Amino acid sequence: MVITIEHQAPRKEVESLIRDIESKGLKVQEMVGETVNILGLIGDTTIVDETRIGMYPWVLSITHIATPYKKVSRQFHPEDTIIDVNGVKIGGNEPIVVMGGPCSVESEEQIMEIAEGVKEAGAKMLRGGAYKPRTSPYVFQGLKSEGIRYLCEAREKTHLPIVTEMMSVDKLDEFVENVDVIQVGARNMQNFDLLRALGKTNKPILLKRGLANTLEEWLMSAEYIMSEGNPNVILCERGIRTFERSTRNTLDLSVIPQIKKISHLPIVIDPSHATGHWELVESMSLAAIAAGCDGLIIEVHNHPEKALSDGQQSLTVEHFAKLIEKGKAIAKIIGRDM
Amino acid sequence: MVITIEHQAPRKEVESLIRDIESKGLKVQEMVGETVNILGLIGDTTIVDETRIGMYPWVLSITHIATPYKKVSRQFHPEDTIIDVNGVKIGGNEPIVVMGGPCSVESEEQIMEIAEGVKEAGAKMLRGGAYKPRTSPYVFQGLKSEGIRYLCEAREKTHLPIVTEMMSVDKLDEFVENVDVIQVGARNMQNFDLLRALGKTNKPILLKRGLANTLEEWLMSAEYIMSEGNPNVILCERGIRTFERSTRNTLDLSVIPQIKKISHLPIVIDPSHATGHWELVESMSLAAIAAGCDGLIIEVHNHPEKALSDGQQSLTVEHFAKLIEKGKAIAKIIGRDM
Amino acid sequence: MVITIEHQAPRKEVESLIRDIESKGLKVQEMVGETVNILGLIGDTTIVDETRIGMYPWVLSITHIATPYKKVSRQFHPEDTIIDVNGVKIGGNEPIVVMGGPCSVESEEQIMEIAEGVKEAGAKMLRGGAYKPRTSPYVFQGLKSEGIRYLCEAREKTHLPIVTEMMSVDKLDEFVENVDVIQVGARNMQNFDLLRALGKTNKPILLKRGLANTLEEWLMSAEYIMSEGNPNVILCERGIRTFERSTRNTLDLSVIPQIKKISHLPIVIDPSHATGHWELVESMSLAAIAAGCDGLIIEVHNHPEKALSDGQQSLTVEHFAKLIEKGKAIAKIIGRDM
Amino acid sequence: MVITIEHQAPRKEVESLIRDIESKGLKVQEMVGETVNILGLIGDTTIVDETRIGMYPWVLSITHIATPYKKVSRQFHPEDTIIDVNGVKIGGNEPIVVMGGPCSVESEEQIMEIAEGVKEAGAKMLRGGAYKPRTSPYVFQGLKSEGIRYLCEAREKTHLPIVTEMMSVDKLDEFVENVDVIQVGARNMQNFDLLRALGKTNKPILLKRGLANTLEEWLMSAEYIMSEGNPNVILCERGIRTFERSTRNTLDLSVIPQIKKISHLPIVIDPSHATGHWELVESMSLAAIAAGCDGLIIEVHNHPEKALSDGQQSLTVEHFAKLIEKGKAIAKIIGRDM
């Protein structure tokens, strides 16, 4: 951490700031310039509260050099994390994992039919929303526990592990007992109580990036989960909010090589929510594979035109199967299986 | 709601769509054009699930004409809502309410000293964070229940109602029992379970706008609270995330006249979080008053340079008192007291 | 400027970088840390090409401490710049200047009628577009030279200086000869050839902030004009592009106190383009005055419903006159005339 | 185009609006609802000035159904446009074209060495900036005419067509005479005079997307060029500005399938400017190929660490060659050559 302070700051106050920092076990070096002095902080700066230092009136700027996260950082954990979800491994050089399924679980028949379809097409996990975050209180909010039950039945039949979103801490037991990968949705990425509760389990967590959250904030939310003891975090990019409205969100594929560089966690791409149009899903999926993602989570529906939510962005099972075929070929070129 | 469909869509399918819509009690009128046909939906369209209709493959676009909210809308509730917080009224043509206090409650002495200071300066409510949402798990997270207790003591002494943030449903009882205005933070604006739980109380709720949420989404979150039966929602703009980084966020003051036009709910401005710099707080506060806000929520600290969080954006009690003086004069010009 | 480099960088290469920097007349101090070393650059860093240094492979980060601009900076020019436009002064503690007029000059009668209307209402300058930047090549592009001629006639009659946009360097003579304040539109804020050409004149320039340009980039564009010798730059905020679409753009009023702090140039607000709705113009104008702006540029039309462009955001002359009345009262409270 | 108007609008005024529209040769159909009436406009709506209609006080909303562009639209030109640049074809099912070269031309030796390097590696065109748009007036602005001359020499030696940016209309002759593809930079995407001037030539134009411009605005700028008679427009995505700052811009690869769907023009991706980090260039290039782009424009330098601008984002020739090898394999899978 580098702190710049005005050259004319009273000596007494600079020294009080330095002592304040040193009291936390850090070393401080000072460099005297013409208009500013520079303090270099040496040691573990993750415990320094930047806003507190920023309040000293003659502090001009504070620059992080070390990252504010530790457990998610590749620096302290050079090997890739590989997460085992009931035998399906994700991360590292493991085969790229495709998760497929409907936006919402709508009925037993629907999820059964789709589950078998995506399995045959090559999916390795089944996704499906039971508790649905919806902007309006007046539209379908998911089948809730009934949806979880149908997902479990689909798992029993297909042996695909299930991925589904948990919106509230009070459902923790239900999810820990029944679900294989617990999803944290974009709107809850900074619901810190939820993150902490999930950090106390040992379940794999699929942590979606928030609508307008930076890479650093996203990693800090993963740090929340890991700092409570749960190392099984899978990051999921699902598009960010920008000025552009011709797609639902703007898919930021550059996070794939960036995450790979700064973190050891697996990174999954959700092209369905990111674009909002099924016609863009195939090309964005292939792009994600070419860019090095560890997994894809894709909406698939048996009757997209009758879907109760997000039908616009769902593929048919047939289209999904073709996508996987092409994806496998691209994966091979960059040295991965799928 | 206006739906446009391709002219060459098979007649049978158009009719199936029309029947689908009519089955919800709406009337449908059709207009035949050269390249597109237009369906006009007449009736209560808030129950129509747009994503579902969007899935019909020959639907080109769906345009909302009626708003998707009802209870928050001025259309169905033409008079301003005035909320009574232990005798302090906010909204309508009531005096502009200033809420002042520290970002975080840090100690009994601190909150007592600030509470008395802001009261003397003219504040009508006391703000202070007890449960703090922080990006990093390694920094101060608030005094929690102890902080709530100190706030209650400060209220006892000053008779200022207290405003503080609730982050999780499992604290509902503690907040309903102790707090006068329950704040929903920007990060939780779309934590729908939290909104629903608060909707079942009759406490005034200060609903902050999310970092990257549109006006419509914000009003829909208010609708969540109101649809459960709680009419006491105060909207609070606290800056949105944009590409600009010289301020912490970009304060969007245009929401004041916009909210006034489309909704009957009171609107409060938080210039401290929005800008992140105490030097900008006064001018943005005066601007908000001139633009017609119903209240201000401002960070004030007795020793800003020692604040445990967000000191950079806090005013001293003296500066806060001067701001209120100027604010009163501006309020008078636009026909309001303060 | 602070450069951080990896601790294990080869000594030879660090020294080559230091010599490279010193060859530009700067002094370099080095601080050795545990994981990174820090170079502090002392002297005029505006000539340092950051991207060049960033290329050294073991450079981790580069932080500006000094601003990259000089002539626009208050640091090097502590007194406010006051610009004299044919006797109308703008900036410093001069009265707030209101510029009014139509988006586009449409006819001689139209501009004459509006010019007299806005003058009577209290405007001190006349605005009106003759050359219009339009997103579509198929819609009205302005009356061009004919429009300039009508503006000149309106000036003759009302003695109001005229403000109008120049889109291309090849019109420089026409503008220098006829126009009092040359406007650079948002889309041309980084048209550096245009800026340089205007920098060689001594005309007052109204430099609008680009749609998605930071405060720093905006000031750098002003620096382009000033570095060529023209000190007469007026900054104009007209809204930035964000995810929010209920307003045309998001008006960023926090730039007023920020510009005042870091620069000596006058700052003008355009609430008409910023919001895109005439109903929001009055409240945003009053807010801008309360926040300390030096001027306002407002669209006014005699028959807004027949305007050839941007009628939606134009006030009637009557509404404009009332706005000025209220504005004067608010100005007085913050110690300004208008 | 669909216009909604308030149900209680005076009949006389609705009819005046309808006549106004019909006078432009369009047909208008009216649908009467409970709270709003709907006007459907049938015919060529590109000539309708939306802002003009929006001014009628009882107009509630205007929705485009037809796109506002014609010449760029696939609807009116179903086959892909293939542009011939001195024998190198781009677009349609032609091989993917790689353009490589330095950000700036720095010297004769430099451009010669790089030109030969990129040719050998497989590039089909040579890029290099001679006139450079730089945020600061104090840093290197390009070799200008001298740079163009060196590019021509490099072309003579390697037979690679040259791509370089034109910033100002007054350089038109120099560019038409010497350059093979004239680049319009992101900052000039809405410099309409420049677009029009280029539209009067028959040179291939590489039109970069503006920093914060929507897909529709970008296509409208292409329409400016095409409406003047020049059909040779190549679109180039180079990242958009968002809240995220860990990359220079956010690369929006979803434009590839979107452009392919709505337009017949070729689409090229610039991963170097988009990301700003050479380490991300390879994966983003492969992703762009997988997503179906028609070309790539990539920064390559012989000594990236000594580059006078944008060295951080340049590849070495060796890395560039490897990228092309992998790219060819991916192209084959999606049925393209490279």
Side-chain angles (χ1 to χ4, degrees):
Chain A
M1 191 177 266
V2 173
I3 301 170
T4 60
I5 51 181
E6 284 181 37
H7 186 69
Q8 68 264 43
R11 201 60 220 158
K12 224 178 68 183
E13 300 200 31
V14 178
E15 276 158 14
S16 137
L17 170 62
I18 291 174
R19 274 196 309 277
D20 184 358
I21 296 165
E22 287 177 341
S23 74
K24 300 198 189 300
L26 293 151
K27 280 201 294 183
V28 179
Q29 285 194 13
E30 190 174 3
M31 182 189 289
V32 177
E34 278 172 12
T35 55
V36 299
N37 293 4
I38 295 170
L39 302 183
L41 276 57
I42 297 163
D44 175 10
T45 55
T46 56
I47 55 162
V48 177
D49 198 336
E50 187 181 331
T51 48
R52 183 173 176 180
I53 289 169
M55 199 46 220
Y56 281 85
W58 21 266
V59 165
L60 294 171
S61 72
I62 301 167
T63 311
H64 278 292
I65 290 159
T67 53
Y69 35 80
K70 289 190 266 192
K71 292 182 186 294
V72 303
S73 170
R74 191 175 280 281
Q75 208 179 337
F76 300 105
H77 186 302
E79 334 73 63
D80 290 318
T81 283
I82 294 170
I83 296 172
D84 188 321
V85 183
N86 293 357
V88 178
K89 290 182 178 163
I90 183 162
N93 212 37
E94 294 296 325
I96 296 164
V97 173
V98 182
M99 310 167 188
C103 182
S104 298
V105 180
E106 294 166 24
S107 71
E108 202 179 346
E109 297 67 40
Q110 175 240 25
I111 191 69
M112 280 301 179
E113 187 179 332
I114 297 176
E116 294 182 329
V118 299
K119 185 181 185 176
E120 202 178 336
K124 293 286 177 281
M125 295 195 205
L126 175 66
R127 60 148 294 156
Y131 293 87
K132 299 294 303 171
R134 299 299 300 272
T135 305
S136 166
Y138 304 125
V139 298
F140 180 59
Q141 310 272 325
L143 292 182
K144 298 171 187 172
S145 291
E146 192 187 341
I148 302 281
R149 217 162 52 235
Y150 296 156
L151 282 168
C152 292
E153 289 172 26
R155 174 179 52 198
E156 209 164 315
K157 189 128 185 216
T158 61
H159 303 291
L160 295 178
I162 58 178
V163 187
T164 193
E165 178 169 355
M166 181 173 129
M167 289 168 64
S168 185
V169 174
D170 62 1
K171 300 292 184 294
L172 189 60
D173 292 344
E174 182 180 11
F175 275 72
V176 167
E177 201 171 315
N178 295 295
V179 170
D180 302 299
V181 177
I182 302 177
Q183 178 178 318
V184 176
R187 292 176 182 81
N188 277 319
M189 194 204 85
Q190 292 194 315
N191 182 337
F192 300 119
D193 283 318
L194 183 64
L195 299 178
R196 252 192 287 254
L198 293 170
K200 285 175 184 130
T201 75
N202 64 356
K203 281 278 165 183
I205 309 298
L206 187 87
L207 179 65
K208 290 203 159 186
R209 181 183 185 184
L211 222 59
N213 287 108
T214 62
L215 217 63
E216 186 173 304
E217 289 168 341
W218 187 20
L219 289 170
M220 288 309 287
S221 286
E223 188 85 13
Y224 258 94
I225 297 169
M226 294 183 75
S227 70
E228 295 288 339
N230 184 350
N232 300 309
V233 180
I234 303 164
L235 299 168
C236 178
E237 158 73 20
R238 42 76 74 208
I240 55 173
R241 183 163 276 185
T242 69
F243 62 85
E244 177 62 66
R245 288 287 175 91
S246 68
T247 41
R248 185 167 171 171
N249 298 287
T250 299
L251 179 60
D252 182 5
L253 287 176
S254 73
V255 299
I256 300 172
Q258 287 194 91
I259 290 290
K260 289 285 167 201
K261 189 180 164 198
I262 57 186
S263 178
H264 50 87
L265 296 174
I267 168 81
V268 163
I269 300 296
D270 176 348
S272 306
H273 279 89
T275 63
H277 299 292
W278 66 268
E279 290 158 298
L280 306 179
V281 169
E282 179 180 312
S283 52
M284 290 302 100
S285 297
L286 300 182
I289 293 167
C293 71
D294 295 308
L296 289 166
I297 183 162
I298 295 175
E299 285 190 15
V300 181
H301 203 278
N302 44 354
H303 301 295
E305 75 286 359
K306 290 192 183 145
L308 293 181
S309 63
D310 287 343
Q312 267 173 316
Q313 62 201 31
S314 294
L315 296 187
T316 58
V317 174
E318 295 70 35
H319 195 161
F320 179 67
K322 273 189 221 154
L323 181 164
I324 291 183
E325 274 323 293
K326 285 192 199 166
K328 282 182 176 180
I330 290 180
K332 196 157 291 171
I333 286 161
I334 60 155
R336 285 285 278 275
D337 280 324
M338 178 166 146
Chain B
M1 190 176 268
V2 173
I3 300 170
T4 60
I5 50 180
E6 284 181 36
H7 187 67
Q8 68 265 43
R11 201 60 221 156
K12 223 179 68 185
E13 301 200 29
V14 179
E15 275 158 16
S16 137
L17 169 61
I18 291 174
R19 274 196 310 276
D20 184 359
I21 296 165
E22 287 177 341
S23 72
K24 299 198 189 304
L26 293 151
K27 278 200 295 181
V28 180
Q29 284 194 13
E30 190 173 4
M31 182 188 289
V32 177
E34 278 172 12
T35 56
V36 300
N37 293 5
I38 296 170
L39 301 183
L41 276 57
I42 297 163
D44 175 10
T45 56
T46 57
I47 55 163
V48 177
D49 198 335
E50 187 182 328
T51 48
R52 186 174 173 180
I53 288 170
M55 198 47 220
Y56 280 85
W58 21 265
V59 165
L60 294 171
S61 72
I62 301 167
T63 312
H64 278 292
I65 289 158
T67 55
Y69 34 80
K70 290 189 264 193
K71 293 182 186 292
V72 303
S73 171
R74 192 176 279 283
Q75 206 179 338
F76 301 104
H77 186 301
E79 335 74 64
D80 289 319
T81 282
I82 295 170
I83 295 172
D84 188 321
V85 182
N86 294 355
V88 179
K89 289 182 178 163
I90 183 160
N93 213 35
E94 294 296 324
I96 296 165
V97 173
V98 182
M99 312 169 189
C103 182
S104 297
V105 180
E106 293 166 25
S107 70
E108 202 179 347
E109 298 68 39
Q110 175 240 25
I111 192 67
M112 280 302 181
E113 188 180 331
I114 297 176
E116 293 183 328
V118 299
K119 186 183 185 174
E120 203 178 338
K124 293 287 177 279
M125 296 195 206
L126 175 66
R127 60 147 292 157
Y131 293 88
K132 299 294 303 171
R134 299 298 301 272
T135 305
S136 167
Y138 304 125
V139 299
F140 180 59
Q141 311 272 325
L143 292 181
K144 299 171 184 171
S145 291
E146 193 187 341
I148 301 282
R149 217 160 55 236
Y150 296 155
L151 282 167
C152 292
E153 290 173 24
R155 174 179 53 198
E156 210 164 317
K157 190 128 184 216
T158 60
H159 303 291
L160 294 178
I162 58 178
V163 187
T164 192
E165 177 170 353
M166 181 173 129
M167 289 168 63
S168 185
V169 175
D170 62 0
K171 301 291 184 294
L172 189 61
D173 291 345
E174 181 180 11
F175 275 72
V176 167
E177 201 171 316
N178 294 294
V179 170
D180 301 299
V181 177
I182 302 177
Q183 178 178 316
V184 175
R187 292 176 184 81
N188 277 318
M189 194 202 86
Q190 292 193 316
N191 182 336
F192 300 118
D193 283 317
L194 183 63
L195 299 177
R196 253 192 286 251
L198 293 170
K200 287 177 182 127
T201 75
N202 63 355
K203 281 278 165 184
I205 309 299
L206 187 87
L207 178 66
K208 290 205 158 185
R209 180 183 185 184
L211 223 59
N213 286 110
T214 62
L215 216 64
E216 186 173 303
E217 289 167 341
W218 188 19
L219 289 170
M220 287 308 288
S221 286
E223 187 85 12
Y224 258 95
I225 298 170
M226 295 183 75
S227 70
E228 295 288 339
N230 185 350
N232 301 308
V233 180
I234 303 165
L235 299 167
C236 178
E237 158 73 20
R238 41 77 73 207
I240 55 173
R241 181 162 277 184
T242 69
F243 62 85
E244 177 62 66
R245 289 287 175 91
S246 68
T247 42
R248 185 168 170 169
N249 297 288
T250 299
L251 180 60
D252 181 6
L253 288 176
S254 73
V255 300
I256 300 172
Q258 286 195 92
I259 290 289
K260 289 285 169 203
K261 189 181 162 199
I262 56 185
S263 179
H264 50 87
L265 297 173
I267 167 83
V268 163
I269 300 296
D270 176 347
S272 306
H273 278 89
T275 64
H277 298 292
W278 66 268
E279 291 158 297
L280 306 179
V281 169
E282 179 180 311
S283 52
M284 290 303 97
S285 297
L286 301 182
I289 294 166
C293 72
D294 296 307
L296 289 166
I297 181 161
I298 295 175
E299 285 190 16
V300 181
H301 203 277
N302 44 355
H303 301 294
E305 75 285 0
K306 291 192 181 147
L308 293 182
S309 64
D310 287 343
Q312 268 174 314
Q313 63 200 30
S314 294
L315 297 186
T316 59
V317 173
E318 295 70 35
H319 194 161
F320 179 67
K322 274 189 220 154
L323 181 165
I324 291 182
E325 274 323 294
K326 286 193 198 167
K328 282 182 175 178
I330 290 180
K332 196 158 291 171
I333 287 161
I334 59 155
R336 285 287 277 273
D337 279 326
M338 180 165 144
Chain C
M1 191 175 270
V2 173
I3 300 170
T4 60
I5 50 180
E6 285 181 35
H7 187 68
Q8 66 265 45
R11 202 59 223 156
K12 226 180 66 186
E13 300 199 30
V14 178
E15 275 158 15
S16 138
L17 170 61
I18 291 174
R19 275 196 308 277
D20 184 358
I21 296 164
E22 286 178 342
S23 73
K24 300 199 186 306
L26 294 150
K27 279 201 295 182
V28 179
Q29 283 193 13
E30 190 173 3
M31 181 189 290
V32 177
E34 278 173 11
T35 56
V36 301
N37 293 4
I38 296 170
L39 302 183
L41 276 56
I42 297 163
D44 175 10
T45 55
T46 57
I47 55 164
V48 177
D49 199 336
E50 186 182 329
T51 49
R52 184 174 173 181
I53 288 169
M55 197 49 219
Y56 280 85
W58 19 266
V59 165
L60 294 171
S61 72
I62 301 167
T63 312
H64 278 292
I65 289 158
T67 55
Y69 36 79
K70 290 190 265 194
K71 292 182 187 293
V72 304
S73 171
R74 192 175 279 282
Q75 206 179 340
F76 301 104
H77 186 301
E79 335 74 63
D80 289 319
T81 282
I82 294 170
I83 296 172
D84 188 320
V85 183
N86 294 356
V88 179
K89 289 181 177 164
I90 182 161
N93 213 35
E94 295 296 326
I96 296 165
V97 173
V98 182
M99 313 168 187
C103 182
S104 297
V105 180
E106 293 166 25
S107 71
E108 203 179 347
E109 298 68 38
Q110 174 240 25
I111 192 68
M112 280 303 181
E113 188 179 332
I114 297 177
E116 293 183 328
V118 299
K119 186 183 184 173
E120 202 177 337
K124 292 286 176 284
M125 296 196 204
L126 176 66
R127 59 147 293 156
Y131 293 87
K132 299 294 303 171
R134 299 299 300 272
T135 304
S136 167
Y138 303 125
V139 298
F140 180 59
Q141 310 273 324
L143 292 182
K144 299 173 184 169
S145 292
E146 193 186 342
I148 302 281
R149 216 160 55 236
Y150 297 155
L151 282 168
C152 291
E153 289 172 26
R155 174 179 52 200
E156 209 163 317
K157 190 126 186 217
T158 61
H159 303 291
L160 295 179
I162 59 178
V163 187
T164 193
E165 177 169 354
M166 182 172 129
M167 288 168 62
S168 185
V169 175
D170 62 1
K171 300 293 184 294
L172 189 60
D173 292 344
E174 182 180 11
F175 275 71
V176 168
E177 201 170 315
N178 295 295
V179 170
D180 302 299
V181 177
I182 302 177
Q183 177 178 317
V184 176
R187 290 176 184 81
N188 277 318
M189 194 202 86
Q190 292 194 316
N191 183 336
F192 300 118
D193 283 317
L194 183 64
L195 299 177
R196 253 192 286 254
L198 293 170
K200 286 176 182 129
T201 74
N202 64 355
K203 281 277 165 184
I205 309 299
L206 187 87
L207 179 66
K208 291 205 159 185
R209 181 183 185 183
L211 221 59
N213 287 109
T214 62
L215 217 64
E216 186 173 303
E217 289 168 342
W218 187 19
L219 289 170
M220 288 309 288
S221 286
E223 187 85 14
Y224 258 95
I225 298 169
M226 295 184 75
S227 70
E228 296 288 338
N230 185 350
N232 301 309
V233 180
I234 303 164
L235 299 168
C236 179
E237 158 72 21
R238 41 78 72 209
I240 56 173
R241 182 163 278 184
T242 69
F243 63 85
E244 177 63 67
R245 288 287 174 90
S246 68
T247 43
R248 185 169 170 169
N249 298 287
T250 299
L251 180 61
D252 181 5
L253 287 176
S254 74
V255 299
I256 300 172
Q258 286 194 92
I259 289 290
K260 290 285 169 202
K261 189 181 164 198
I262 58 185
S263 178
H264 50 89
L265 296 173
I267 167 83
V268 163
I269 301 296
D270 176 347
S272 306
H273 279 89
T275 63
H277 298 293
W278 66 266
E279 291 159 297
L280 306 179
V281 169
E282 180 180 310
S283 52
M284 290 303 98
S285 297
L286 301 183
I289 293 166
C293 73
D294 296 306
L296 289 166
I297 182 161
I298 294 175
E299 285 191 16
V300 181
H301 203 277
N302 43 356
H303 301 296
E305 75 285 0
K306 290 192 182 146
L308 292 181
S309 63
D310 288 344
Q312 268 173 315
Q313 63 200 32
S314 295
L315 296 187
T316 59
V317 173
E318 295 70 34
H319 193 161
F320 180 67
K322 274 189 221 156
L323 180 164
I324 291 183
E325 274 323 293
K326 285 192 198 167
K328 281 181 177 179
I330 290 180
K332 195 158 292 171
I333 286 161
I334 58 154
R336 286 285 278 273
D337 280 327
M338 180 166 143
Chain D
M1 191 177 268
V2 173
I3 300 170
T4 60
I5 51 180
E6 285 181 36
H7 187 69
Q8 67 265 43
R11 201 58 221 158
K12 225 179 67 184
E13 301 200 30
V14 179
E15 275 158 16
S16 138
L17 169 61
I18 291 174
R19 274 196 310 276
D20 184 357
I21 295 165
E22 286 177 341
S23 73
K24 299 199 189 303
L26 293 151
K27 279 200 295 182
V28 179
Q29 286 194 13
E30 190 172 4
M31 182 189 291
V32 177
E34 277 172 12
T35 57
V36 300
N37 293 3
I38 296 170
L39 301 183
L41 276 58
I42 297 163
D44 175 11
T45 55
T46 57
I47 54 163
V48 177
D49 199 336
E50 187 182 330
T51 49
R52 183 172 177 182
I53 288 170
M55 199 47 219
Y56 282 85
W58 21 265
V59 164
L60 293 172
S61 72
I62 300 168
T63 311
H64 278 292
I65 288 159
T67 55
Y69 36 79
K70 290 190 266 191
K71 291 182 188 294
V72 303
S73 171
R74 191 176 279 282
Q75 207 180 339
F76 300 105
H77 186 302
E79 332 73 62
D80 290 318
T81 282
I82 294 169
I83 295 172
D84 188 321
V85 182
N86 294 357
V88 179
K89 289 182 177 162
I90 183 163
N93 212 35
E94 294 296 323
I96 296 164
V97 173
V98 182
M99 312 169 187
C103 182
S104 298
V105 181
E106 293 166 25
S107 72
E108 201 179 347
E109 298 68 38
Q110 175 241 24
I111 192 68
M112 280 303 180
E113 189 179 331
I114 297 176
E116 294 183 328
V118 298
K119 185 180 185 177
E120 202 176 338
K124 293 287 178 278
M125 297 196 204
L126 176 65
R127 61 148 292 156
Y131 293 88
K132 298 295 304 170
R134 299 300 300 272
T135 305
S136 166
Y138 304 125
V139 299
F140 179 60
Q141 309 272 326
L143 292 182
K144 296 169 187 173
S145 291
E146 193 188 341
I148 302 281
R149 217 160 54 235
Y150 296 156
L151 282 169
C152 292
E153 289 172 26
R155 174 178 51 198
E156 208 164 318
K157 190 125 184 219
T158 61
H159 303 292
L160 295 178
I162 57 178
V163 187
T164 193
E165 177 169 354
M166 182 173 130
M167 289 168 64
S168 185
V169 175
D170 62 1
K171 299 292 184 294
L172 189 61
D173 292 344
E174 182 181 10
F175 274 72
V176 168
E177 201 170 317
N178 294 295
V179 170
D180 302 299
V181 177
I182 303 177
Q183 178 178 317
V184 176
R187 292 175 182 81
N188 277 318
M189 194 204 85
Q190 292 192 316
N191 182 336
F192 300 119
D193 283 318
L194 183 64
L195 299 178
R196 253 191 287 253
L198 293 170
K200 286 175 184 131
T201 75
N202 63 356
K203 281 278 165 184
I205 309 299
L206 187 87
L207 178 66
K208 289 204 160 186
R209 182 184 184 183
L211 222 58
N213 286 108
T214 61
L215 216 65
E216 185 173 304
E217 289 168 341
W218 188 18
L219 288 170
M220 287 309 288
S221 286
E223 187 86 12
Y224 258 95
I225 297 171
M226 293 183 76
S227 70
E228 295 288 340
N230 185 349
N232 300 309
V233 180
I234 302 164
L235 299 167
C236 179
E237 157 73 20
R238 41 76 74 207
I240 55 173
R241 182 162 276 186
T242 69
F243 62 85
E244 177 62 66
R245 286 290 175 90
S246 68
T247 41
R248 185 168 172 171
N249 298 288
T250 299
L251 180 60
D252 181 5
L253 287 176
S254 74
V255 300
I256 300 173
Q258 287 194 92
I259 290 290
K260 289 285 167 201
K261 187 181 164 197
I262 57 185
S263 178
H264 50 87
L265 296 173
I267 168 80
V268 163
I269 300 296
D270 177 347
S272 306
H273 279 89
T275 63
H277 298 293
W278 67 267
E279 291 159 296
L280 306 179
V281 169
E282 180 180 310
S283 52
M284 290 302 99
S285 298
L286 301 182
I289 293 167
C293 72
D294 296 307
L296 289 165
I297 182 161
I298 295 175
E299 285 190 15
V300 181
H301 203 279
N302 44 355
H303 302 294
E305 75 286 359
K306 290 192 182 145
L308 293 181
S309 62
D310 288 343
Q312 268 173 315
Q313 62 201 31
S314 295
L315 296 187
T316 60
V317 174
E318 294 69 34
H319 194 161
F320 179 67
K322 272 189 222 155
L323 181 165
I324 291 183
E325 274 323 294
K326 284 192 202 169
K328 281 182 177 180
I330 290 179
K332 195 156 293 171
I333 286 161
I334 58 154
R336 284 286 278 273
D337 279 326
M338 179 165 146

